[in-house]
Amino acid sequence: MKAIEPKVEAFRNRPLGKFRYLIVDARFDKVRDAHRVVSRAFLWAAGVNEQGQREALGWLDWASETGSAWKEMFRRLKERGLTGVELVVSDAHEGLVKAVEEGFPGAMWQECQTHFMRRALDLV
């Protein structure tokens, strides 16, 4: 495990560039924390590069999915050089949508079709 950590950190901190499309979401996993098992949010972002290929851009381990967590995620990506974002696709988490508006002024936001369909089916 120790041998792979420098490679993971190098990947997580590599310089980014222009990505017109950003796909973001959170997943929740159980982790051990102070002799307890708790649920933590793992926020992740993928982008579509200039060649049209999807690329993992980064992830963030946070206590829960909040607007401030997403703001921190976007701040870190921009610090690494993320530019050119025109469209962000995600679920409709209120804090996330607001963080997109603040973090990428002028970019459009679209709800992921899978999340949209789940919400629609819940209403039926």
Short mmCIF file of all heavy atoms in Angstrom, two decimals, residues 24-25 65 89-98 109-112 115-116 119:
data_model
loop_
_atom_site.label_atom_id
_atom_site.label_comp_id
_atom_site.label_asym_id
_atom_site.label_seq_id
_atom_site.Cartn_x
_atom_site.Cartn_y
_atom_site.Cartn_z
N VAL A 24 -20.23 15.27 -12.11
CA VAL A 24 -19.90 15.16 -10.69
C VAL A 24 -21.00 14.42 -9.94
O VAL A 24 -22.16 14.47 -10.32
CB VAL A 24 -19.66 16.55 -10.05
CG1 VAL A 24 -18.49 17.26 -10.71
CG2 VAL A 24 -20.89 17.43 -10.13
N ASP A 25 -20.60 13.75 -8.88
CA ASP A 25 -21.56 13.04 -8.04
C ASP A 25 -20.88 12.71 -6.72
O ASP A 25 -19.68 12.94 -6.55
CB ASP A 25 -22.05 11.77 -8.72
CG ASP A 25 -23.40 11.28 -8.20
OD1 ASP A 25 -23.96 11.92 -7.27
OD2 ASP A 25 -23.92 10.28 -8.71
N GLU A 65 -22.33 15.13 2.16
CA GLU A 65 -22.46 15.89 0.91
C GLU A 65 -23.13 17.24 1.24
O GLU A 65 -24.32 17.29 1.50
CB GLU A 65 -23.28 15.13 -0.12
CG GLU A 65 -23.37 15.84 -1.45
CD GLU A 65 -24.17 15.09 -2.49
OE1 GLU A 65 -24.90 14.14 -2.13
OE2 GLU A 65 -24.10 15.48 -3.66
N VAL A 89 -22.89 18.34 -15.22
CA VAL A 89 -23.98 17.37 -15.11
C VAL A 89 -23.88 16.72 -13.74
O VAL A 89 -22.81 16.25 -13.35
CB VAL A 89 -23.89 16.30 -16.22
CG1 VAL A 89 -25.01 15.28 -16.09
CG2 VAL A 89 -23.92 16.95 -17.60
N SER A 90 -25.01 16.71 -13.02
CA SER A 90 -25.01 16.14 -11.67
C SER A 90 -26.43 15.83 -11.24
O SER A 90 -27.37 16.04 -12.01
CB SER A 90 -24.41 17.15 -10.68
OG SER A 90 -25.29 18.23 -10.47
N ASP A 91 -26.58 15.36 -10.00
CA ASP A 91 -27.91 15.25 -9.45
C ASP A 91 -28.37 16.65 -9.04
O ASP A 91 -27.64 17.62 -9.20
CB ASP A 91 -27.96 14.25 -8.28
CG ASP A 91 -27.11 14.65 -7.09
OD1 ASP A 91 -26.72 15.82 -6.98
OD2 ASP A 91 -26.85 13.77 -6.25
N ALA A 92 -29.57 16.75 -8.52
CA ALA A 92 -30.14 18.06 -8.20
C ALA A 92 -29.94 18.45 -6.74
O ALA A 92 -30.72 19.24 -6.21
CB ALA A 92 -31.63 18.08 -8.55
N HIS A 93 -28.90 17.95 -6.10
CA HIS A 93 -28.60 18.32 -4.72
C HIS A 93 -28.46 19.85 -4.65
O HIS A 93 -27.66 20.44 -5.37
CB HIS A 93 -27.30 17.64 -4.28
CG HIS A 93 -26.93 17.91 -2.87
ND1 HIS A 93 -26.30 19.07 -2.48
CD2 HIS A 93 -27.10 17.17 -1.76
CE1 HIS A 93 -26.09 19.03 -1.18
NE2 HIS A 93 -26.56 17.88 -0.72
N GLU A 94 -29.26 20.47 -3.79
CA GLU A 94 -29.33 21.94 -3.74
C GLU A 94 -27.97 22.60 -3.51
O GLU A 94 -27.61 23.56 -4.18
CB GLU A 94 -30.31 22.35 -2.65
CG GLU A 94 -30.56 23.83 -2.59
CD GLU A 94 -31.57 24.21 -1.52
OE1 GLU A 94 -32.55 23.47 -1.33
OE2 GLU A 94 -31.37 25.26 -0.89
N GLY A 95 -27.21 22.08 -2.58
CA GLY A 95 -25.90 22.65 -2.29
C GLY A 95 -24.94 22.50 -3.47
O GLY A 95 -24.12 23.37 -3.74
N LEU A 96 -25.06 21.39 -4.18
CA LEU A 96 -24.21 21.15 -5.34
C LEU A 96 -24.53 22.12 -6.46
O LEU A 96 -23.64 22.73 -7.05
CB LEU A 96 -24.37 19.70 -5.81
CG LEU A 96 -23.75 19.30 -7.14
CD1 LEU A 96 -22.30 19.69 -7.23
CD2 LEU A 96 -23.93 17.81 -7.36
N VAL A 97 -25.80 22.30 -6.75
CA VAL A 97 -26.21 23.21 -7.82
C VAL A 97 -25.74 24.63 -7.52
O VAL A 97 -25.20 25.32 -8.39
CB VAL A 97 -27.74 23.16 -8.04
CG1 VAL A 97 -28.18 24.20 -9.06
CG2 VAL A 97 -28.16 21.76 -8.49
N LYS A 98 -25.88 25.05 -6.27
CA LYS A 98 -25.42 26.39 -5.88
C LYS A 98 -23.90 26.51 -6.00
O LYS A 98 -23.38 27.53 -6.45
CB LYS A 98 -25.88 26.71 -4.47
CG LYS A 98 -25.59 28.12 -4.05
CD LYS A 98 -26.24 28.45 -2.72
CE LYS A 98 -25.78 29.80 -2.28
NZ LYS A 98 -26.78 30.76 -2.09
N TRP A 109 -25.93 24.12 -16.04
CA TRP A 109 -26.06 22.94 -15.22
C TRP A 109 -27.19 22.10 -15.78
O TRP A 109 -28.21 22.63 -16.23
CB TRP A 109 -26.38 23.32 -13.76
CG TRP A 109 -26.74 22.12 -12.94
CD1 TRP A 109 -25.89 21.24 -12.34
CD2 TRP A 109 -28.05 21.64 -12.66
NE1 TRP A 109 -26.59 20.24 -11.71
CE2 TRP A 109 -27.92 20.47 -11.90
CE3 TRP A 109 -29.34 22.06 -13.00
CZ2 TRP A 109 -29.02 19.73 -11.45
CZ3 TRP A 109 -30.42 21.33 -12.55
CH2 TRP A 109 -30.26 20.18 -11.77
N GLN A 110 -27.01 20.79 -15.78
CA GLN A 110 -28.05 19.87 -16.24
C GLN A 110 -28.13 18.70 -15.28
O GLN A 110 -27.10 18.16 -14.85
CB GLN A 110 -27.72 19.34 -17.64
CG GLN A 110 -28.71 18.33 -18.16
CD GLN A 110 -28.34 17.87 -19.56
OE1 GLN A 110 -28.06 18.68 -20.42
NE2 GLN A 110 -28.33 16.56 -19.76
N GLU A 111 -29.35 18.30 -14.96
CA GLU A 111 -29.51 17.14 -14.09
C GLU A 111 -29.21 15.87 -14.88
O GLU A 111 -29.63 15.72 -16.02
CB GLU A 111 -30.93 17.08 -13.52
CG GLU A 111 -31.11 15.94 -12.54
CD GLU A 111 -32.47 15.94 -11.86
OE1 GLU A 111 -33.39 16.62 -12.34
OE2 GLU A 111 -32.58 15.24 -10.84
N CYS A 112 -28.50 14.97 -14.25
CA CYS A 112 -28.19 13.67 -14.83
C CYS A 112 -29.51 12.95 -15.16
O CYS A 112 -30.46 12.98 -14.37
CB CYS A 112 -27.39 12.87 -13.80
SG CYS A 112 -27.27 11.12 -14.12
N HIS A 115 -30.67 10.34 -12.51
CA HIS A 115 -31.28 10.94 -11.33
C HIS A 115 -32.65 11.53 -11.66
O HIS A 115 -33.59 11.43 -10.87
CB HIS A 115 -30.36 12.02 -10.74
CG HIS A 115 -29.16 11.46 -10.07
ND1 HIS A 115 -27.95 11.33 -10.70
CD2 HIS A 115 -28.97 10.99 -8.81
CE1 HIS A 115 -27.08 10.80 -9.87
NE2 HIS A 115 -27.67 10.59 -8.70
N PHE A 116 -32.78 12.15 -12.82
CA PHE A 116 -34.05 12.72 -13.25
C PHE A 116 -35.12 11.63 -13.33
O PHE A 116 -36.24 11.78 -12.83
CB PHE A 116 -33.90 13.43 -14.58
CG PHE A 116 -35.20 13.93 -15.13
CD1 PHE A 116 -35.77 15.10 -14.66
CD2 PHE A 116 -35.86 13.22 -16.12
CE1 PHE A 116 -36.98 15.57 -15.15
CE2 PHE A 116 -37.07 13.68 -16.62
CZ PHE A 116 -37.63 14.85 -16.13
N ARG A 119 -36.25 10.41 -9.89
CA ARG A 119 -37.19 11.37 -9.25
C ARG A 119 -38.55 11.27 -9.92
O ARG A 119 -39.58 11.32 -9.25
CB ARG A 119 -36.65 12.80 -9.34
CG ARG A 119 -35.55 13.09 -8.35
CD ARG A 119 -35.19 14.57 -8.21
NE ARG A 119 -35.09 15.30 -9.45
CZ ARG A 119 -36.00 16.17 -9.90
NH1 ARG A 119 -37.08 16.42 -9.21
NH2 ARG A 119 -35.82 16.81 -11.04
#
